[in-house]
Amino acid sequence: MSRQIVAARVPYFVSALYRQRLNLRPDKPLLVAMTRTVSACCEQCAARGVLPKMLLRQAQTLAPDAILVRPDLILEKEAINVLLEQVAAKITPLVEYATGDHANCVYAAQSGVFYIDLEHLNDRQAVQLVSQMQCLLSSLLGNAIVHAGLSDSKFRAYAQTHDANASFAALPIDLLPLDSALSERLHLLGLTTVGAFAALPTDAVYRQLGKYGLFLYQLARGLDLRPVRPFKPQIVERVNYTSDYPIHERYAFDAVLDMLSNELSARLSKRGCMGRSIHVAMTDGNGRYRERRMTMQRELSDATFIRKALRLLVDKFSPFTGGVCEVVVTLTDIVPFAGFQLSLFDYQAERQARLIEAVEKLAARYGREAFTRPIQVDGYNRLIEHRFEFQPFLTV
Amino acid sequence: MKGNLNAELARLQERWGEKVIRKSEWSTQPQEHPRIATHWTRLNDALGIGGIPRSVLTECTGSGTAGLTTFGLRLIAQAQFENSSDTTVWIDTSCSFDAEYATACGVAVERLLIVRGVRDIPDMLYTFVTSKGVGLLVCDVRGGLSDRSVPKPEMLAMSRITTALTASDCALVLLSDPGSQPVYSQAALRLHFTHERWLRRGRDLGGYRVQVHIARNRFIPVARRVAITVGLSTLGGEDDL
């Protein structure tokens, strides 16, 4: 039985998401923009000539009556996760959302593309599921129109949902996932469009560009045979604090951080988990939003360490002139709790003994001075080379 | 056509055994293999088994400031963290090991054995691997062991080492220059590190971005590229700059 992939394309996905969240009328134009540039827009704005990455000033000239919405990346990520979870629960866990680094995503400007692998279904069941999924996505996104296509390749399935798949050939070759060296090489060969690259003979591409070149060549010809990456819901722990009045004093803000870290620690210990990445988002009294993320070397769950990490992160922000109104702390990369294994058991001693035996053998051949171990002598010495000393391994 | 192919496959398998011929299939499930997780979650995901595999040879190549030393040190820190009984060895052919930076990368340096000034690297690797007393062996041969300096018998000795590795739970990681790839053709995993750009935090240099190209992976059939961030923070944290 051949593999079946459904690609569901939701045009103007991001704007549909904000429209639904903010309960806006469908006929009202909408612009999603940072301080200077437009990150997404709705269908009405696109019809007036607004494009992503356009300057906000230009976009507002074209669509003066448009409602301006600030992008909220956490909200977007959460909404995508909810959508994927609902689709995965209803149909299959083999669901993938086309992210920014995906090759096909460049063709799907402002659209959201979901791939679903229907490996164990026959053609008739798959076609039925396509219509079900269209209904499901439409209901989740309000009145958004969803196009869905079915094929044995991700690219072909996506192309069926697209209005102008013939125009792919004229697109620049840099839209394929090329590295700088390969891109330069293709440009030197005079290959500037996807169509020109796709017209080359297969054996020549393989001979000149190797296995990765052949993969790109398949993409250019509309064949994306990579499997659908199964959706894994991300487990996070999030706490937030909102104040009616902006907090200006550092000691008061530290007390808030302590409270949040205690809360996070309590939740983690209840679950028996540890987290590794910390994300802090803060909004100041002037409405300015700032965020920072830090990935720790080791997973942590203790309130003391979470507090220390939080303070370290907060210190990296530039000073808040208007005080802090809202703090959101998110802990990600959550894993089950694992304690340190102490050297209590015999096999560890055995292992160490085997290593010493091997080093003794080698030391007899190459000399004892070749096998050393760094020991901290004076950690605060002004000269770096005096802080550590290499001592012979066998005498330690 | 497909029916004929299946029938022919079945006939061959019946005559010569199931292993003689089979269809190649894309695996969507991550494979289970003993491994040491790297410091970077994205890289772990891309490797398919969640880290650097044990019992095989892993080769990492890259030019200067491509993050190879940091990668090796972080791997040692992770091995020491995951399993305290894992003994770790760093073979430093160029005598450039920096204990200060290793500590900043989270390595418990007092539990690390440093080997310097030994020319017969394959013989030493073989002794360490067969002793079954080492959990992670990082061999930094950049500048110290080029194609020219390695005589033929030593190249042959690499196959002896990879055979011995299969019987132990040691992970052998070679950090080498880009030109020395043909010497260690028996690597089950080959990663190529390329420096992409420097990352700045205000006026300071905060780190750099590195592209890791998984050129060969026995555990997953697809070549992949991952971008990772190497932070230069000495405070113990790794920032996603």
Side-chain angles (χ1 to χ4, degrees), chain A residues 276 297 316 341 365-366 372, chain B residues 39 74 84 114 123 239:
Chain A
R276 191 167 163 211
Q297 279 184 357
K316 288 179 182 171
Q341 178 63 61
R365 271 180 255 168
Y366 305 111
T372 54
Chain B
H39 178 72
R74 296 274 193 202
S84 65
I114 311 282
D123 174 55
D239 291 354

Side-chain angles (χ1 to χ4, degrees), chain A residues 182-364:
Chain A
L182 195 57
S183 169
E184 193 183 351
R185 201 168 161 195
L186 291 176
H187 280 282
L188 282 172
L189 288 167
L191 299 166
T192 50
T193 60
V194 174
F197 185 47
L200 294 174
T202 315
D203 54 341
V205 172
Y206 185 66
R207 219 170 29 242
Q208 290 290 324
L209 305 174
K211 209 192 265 181
Y212 191 66
L214 196 64
F215 160 69
L216 294 174
Y217 176 69
Q218 283 185 332
L219 274 187
R221 296 187 72 175
L223 266 173
D224 186 355
L225 296 173
R226 284 174 297 178
V228 171
R229 290 185 201 169
F231 166 67
K232 287 183 217 159
Q234 196 187 18
I235 306 164
V236 295
E237 273 298 348
R238 178 171 298 147
V239 286
N240 66 336
Y241 177 83
T242 314
S243 164
D244 293 339
Y245 300 100
I247 303 170
H248 290 277
E249 295 82 14
R250 179 63 200 240
Y251 71 88
F253 187 63
D254 281 347
V256 171
L257 290 183
D258 290 357
M259 190 187 73
L260 293 177
S261 44
N262 286 337
E263 172 71 25
L264 264 179
S265 174
R267 286 196 201 174
L268 286 173
S269 62
K270 197 176 174 185
R271 279 176 111 174
C273 292
M274 305 189 289
R276 191 167 163 211
S277 297
I278 291 188
H279 177 266
V280 177
M282 293 200 275
T283 313
D284 67 6
N286 303 327
R288 280 181 67 193
Y289 174 85
R290 296 183 210 177
E291 60 179 347
R292 266 191 185 274
R293 179 187 294 276
M294 184 161 77
T295 307
M296 313 302 295
Q297 279 184 357
R298 290 168 185 179
E299 293 84 359
L300 40 87
S301 64
D302 194 84
T304 318
F305 295 118
I306 296 176
R307 191 181 306 136
K308 198 174 161 189
L310 273 179
R311 288 191 181 174
L312 199 68
L313 257 182
V314 168
D315 287 341
K316 288 179 182 171
F317 284 98
S318 51
F320 282 74
T321 48
V324 180
C325 279
E326 190 182 6
V327 191
V328 182
V329 182
T330 312
L331 211 62
T332 52
D333 292 341
I334 288 179
V335 292
F337 183 78
F340 279 97
Q341 178 63 61
L342 300 173
S343 304
L344 300 171
F345 305 106
D346 284 336
Y347 73 92
Q348 290 169 344
E350 271 175 32
R351 193 161 196 171
Q352 191 72 22
R354 282 202 294 262
L355 175 68
I356 290 171
E357 198 182 325
V359 173
E360 274 173 355
K361 263 189 216 169
L362 289 165

